[in-house]
């Protein structure tokens, strides 16, 4: 069984002649233990074209030290990675499927093999507070690394790593960094030992252009698309591990990508991305099946917890579990089947190809501060048409449908504003806040519309089994009231943003 932990660490270049400075007197540090010495050996696995390393993922088999085993490191954010571990099986030299399955979004059918062999002599100091809690570890590594295959190279170097402990915080990291800088020890340009050793094969990272109000529309749009593609891949392992909110975050990234390609089709040629947006719609739909059930179950369970006991005759919570559990299991299986399938791999290939060779239009070369507001205003006009239609619609199913279309249009405006956020002014920020409030009201209305028939179905099943269904009638009435309140709130929220804009 895998175990996992989040590690927050920083790496530093240690030039010849520099030693680890005194670590006493740092904020909150009562004692410094060490140094302890360890001999570590690690074999790193990747594809021939280094797909994992290019995605800032590492997969290794480490022996020696206190954490020997198979380690998969997944990027989370600046200085932070999730490390998934399996015990070391000395009879196996091949990466376990439990780990390689988590990075299928990167591997896409390619088999990882050894790409590097590292030997490290480590000296470790532990910084602890007055209660004996671990604040941070500082290690000095003397490394010898060798690449594998034809043209293998050998390199030796020395580096410093500082990793936060359970009781530490970023202020201590900053204080240690300042102490190291005084000794001439500066941040490493390589995020990992492996990336340093494979630098020649990886090549330099293509730095994303710095976005300013003078940036081109193409640069701004591509920066946003790149960010969402990264998020899509980053949340893939979390979905596979059934982590909280991972499906939601992956679905949001998918929707943002699709919306940006639609709204900014005059910057990134819409005709050449139409098939891609269809595939993004497919993926969002698969993820939505699982996410919508999760949201509805949570909605009903929170409502039940808020009811007085006398309004809950019968096994209400048990009935909700019996209804949702099999559907959620089936929806999760559908998500995993989709993520493991060729269609998803082809979608990821298409997204990589889009970023590598984007189909930019002539308009993409013009200033974003001029081009993007026009496209946001266009999306706003489309929202206005949908909202006016909803306000004039007959109450009932027709209005419910029109309000749902307004919600989707509001979401497109919000995402369009997100894309342009780096170059839009303060007025756009206020506009975005208003759109978000409008979207929230419309979301509440749609949740009520969708919830009512589900409650009727649950009540029908409960009645057929001889259970008291009064509580489900109470919940149905609650959903009707919430939807009516949201419908009334829509008119007010729309007035706030109807004449706003960028």
């Amino acid at each position: 069984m895998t175990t996992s932990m989040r590690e927050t660490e920083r790496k530093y270049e240690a030039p010849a002649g520099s030693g680890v400075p005194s670590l006493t007197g740092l904020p909150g540090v009562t004692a410094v233990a060490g140094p302890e010495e360890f001999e570590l050996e690690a074999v790193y696995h990747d594809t021939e074209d280094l797909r994992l390393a290019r995605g800032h993922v590492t997969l290794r088999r480490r022996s020696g030290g206190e954490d020997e085993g198979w380690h998969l490191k997944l990027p989370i954010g600046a200085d932070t990675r999730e490390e998934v571990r399996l015990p070391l099986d000395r009879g196996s030299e091949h990466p376990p499927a439990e780990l390689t399955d988590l990075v299928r979004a990167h591997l896409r059918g390619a088999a990882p093999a050894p790409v590097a062999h590292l030997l490290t002599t480590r000296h470790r100091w532990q910084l602890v507070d007055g209660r004996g809690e671990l604040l941070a570890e500082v290690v000095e590594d003397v490394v010898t690394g060798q690449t594998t295959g034809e043209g293998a190279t050998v390199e030796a170097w020395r580096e410093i790593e500082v990793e936060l402990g359970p009781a530490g915080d970023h202020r201590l990291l900053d204080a240690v960094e300042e102490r190291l800088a005084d000794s001439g020890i500066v941040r490493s340009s390589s995020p990992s030992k492996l990336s340093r050793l494979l630098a020649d094969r990886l090549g330099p990272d293509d730095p994303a252009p710095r976005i300013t109000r003078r940036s081109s529309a193409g640069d701004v749009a591509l920066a946003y698309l790149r960010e969402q593609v990264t998020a899509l891949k980053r949340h893939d392992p979390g979905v596979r591990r059934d982590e909280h909110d991972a499906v939601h975050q992956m679905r949001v990234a998918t929707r943002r990508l699709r919306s940006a390609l639609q709204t900014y089709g005059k910057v990134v040629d819409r005709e050449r991305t139409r098939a891609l947006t269809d595939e993004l719609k497919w993926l969002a739909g698969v993820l939505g099946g699982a996410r919508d059930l999760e949201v509805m179950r949570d909605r009903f369970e929170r409502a039940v917890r808020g009811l007085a006991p006398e309004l809950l005759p019968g096994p209400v919570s048990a009935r909700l579990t019996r209804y949702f559990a099999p559907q959620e299991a089936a929806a999760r299986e559908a998500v995993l089947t989709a993520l493991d399938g060729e269609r998803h791999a082809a979608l990821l290939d298409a997204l990589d190809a889009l970023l590598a060779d984007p189909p930019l239009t002539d308009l993409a070369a013009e200033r974003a501060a001029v081009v993007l507001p026009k496209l946001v205003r266009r999306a706003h006009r489309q929202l206005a048409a949908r909202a006016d239609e909803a306000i004039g619609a007959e109450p009932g199913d027709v209005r419910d449908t029109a309000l749902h279309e307004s919600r989707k249009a509001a979401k497109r405006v919000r995402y369009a504003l997100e894309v342009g956020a780096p170059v839009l002014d303060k007025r756009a920020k206020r506009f975005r806040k208003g759109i978000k409030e409008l979207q929230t009201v419309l979301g509440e209305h749609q949740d009520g519309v969708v919830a009512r028939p589900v409650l009727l179905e649950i009540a029908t099943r409960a009645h057929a089994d001889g259970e008291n269904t009064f509580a489900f009638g109470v919940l149905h009435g609650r959903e009707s009231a919430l939807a009516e309140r949201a419908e009334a709130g829509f008119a007010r929220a729309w007035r706030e943003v109807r004449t706003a804009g960028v």
Side-chain angles (χ1 to χ4, degrees), residues 212-223:
T212 70
R213 284 189 57 80
R214 301 190 64 83
S215 295
S216 71
D219 281 347
V220 173
L222 286 175

Side-chain angles (χ1 to χ4, degrees), residues 224-443:
Y224 185 82
L225 293 173
R226 193 175 294 110
E227 179 183 336
Q228 301 313 317
V229 171
T230 298
L232 186 67
K233 295 175 183 177
R234 185 175 68 245
H235 292 297
D236 186 289
V239 172
R240 295 176 187 277
R241 300 181 71 205
D242 203 18
E243 292 179 356
H244 172 70
D245 209 39
V247 168
H248 172 57
Q249 294 301 329
M250 190 174 186
R251 184 192 190 192
V252 168
T254 305
R255 285 177 158 180
R256 283 173 167 158
L257 279 166
R258 181 168 180 259
S259 181
L261 291 171
Q262 289 174 323
T263 303
Y264 293 96
K266 292 184 179 296
V267 175
V268 182
D269 191 345
R270 180 73 182 98
E271 290 308 312
R272 294 173 62 185
T273 64
R274 201 169 294 278
L276 178 54
T277 56
D278 288 344
E279 291 304 283
L280 288 167
K281 181 179 181 180
W282 160 75
L283 179 58
V286 174
L287 295 167
R291 173 61 180 170
D292 291 345
L293 286 167
E294 176 186 299
V295 169
M296 191 176 300
R297 173 181 50 78
D298 181 66
R299 182 183 181 90
F300 291 167
E301 289 177 348
R302 282 188 288 108
V304 166
R305 290 195 295 270
L307 293 177
E310 59 268 24
L311 298 179
L312 296 170
V316 177
S317 294
R319 172 57 62 176
L320 290 176
T321 298
R322 289 172 61 187
Y323 180 84
F324 282 106
Q327 292 193 58
E328 289 188 276
R332 171 163 173 75
E333 184 62 30
V335 168
L336 295 178
T337 298
L339 295 186
D340 288 344
E342 294 182 2
R343 187 173 183 180
H344 182 54
L347 169 58
L348 293 172
D349 286 343
L351 288 170
D352 287 347
L354 173 76
L355 296 179
D357 186 19
L360 298 177
T361 67
D362 291 342
L363 196 63
E366 298 186 17
R367 281 184 58 187
V370 175
V371 173
L372 300 194
K374 294 178 182 178
L375 299 179
V376 172
R377 287 193 287 270
R378 181 170 177 266
H380 188 202
R381 289 194 296 272
Q382 293 170 341
L383 167 60
R386 294 282 185 266
D388 290 344
E389 182 181 337
I391 289 172
E394 289 293 322
D397 291 345
V398 174
R399 181 176 290 176
D400 290 344
T401 299
L403 287 169
H404 183 47
E405 291 301 317
S406 298
R407 180 194 181 198
K408 291 192 290 186
K411 192 172 295 185
R412 285 193 290 272
V413 174
R414 182 181 169 193
Y415 290 158
L417 287 164
E418 284 183 0
V419 176
V423 300
L424 299 177
D425 57 21
K426 293 180 180 179
R427 191 161 61 108
K429 189 177 293 187
R430 292 193 297 271
F431 182 34
R432 181 179 168 186
K433 181 180 178 181
I435 288 292
K436 184 177 181 180
E437 291 173 357
L438 176 67
Q439 184 184 333
T440 299
V441 169
L442 289 169

Side-chain angles (χ1 to χ4, degrees), residues 20 23 32-36 123-127 136-140:
V20 176
L23 300 170
V32 179
E36 300 171 277
H123 293 93
R124 182 182 73 180
W125 292 262
Q126 293 186 313
L127 314 184
E137 291 186 346
V138 178
V139 302
E140 177 187 41

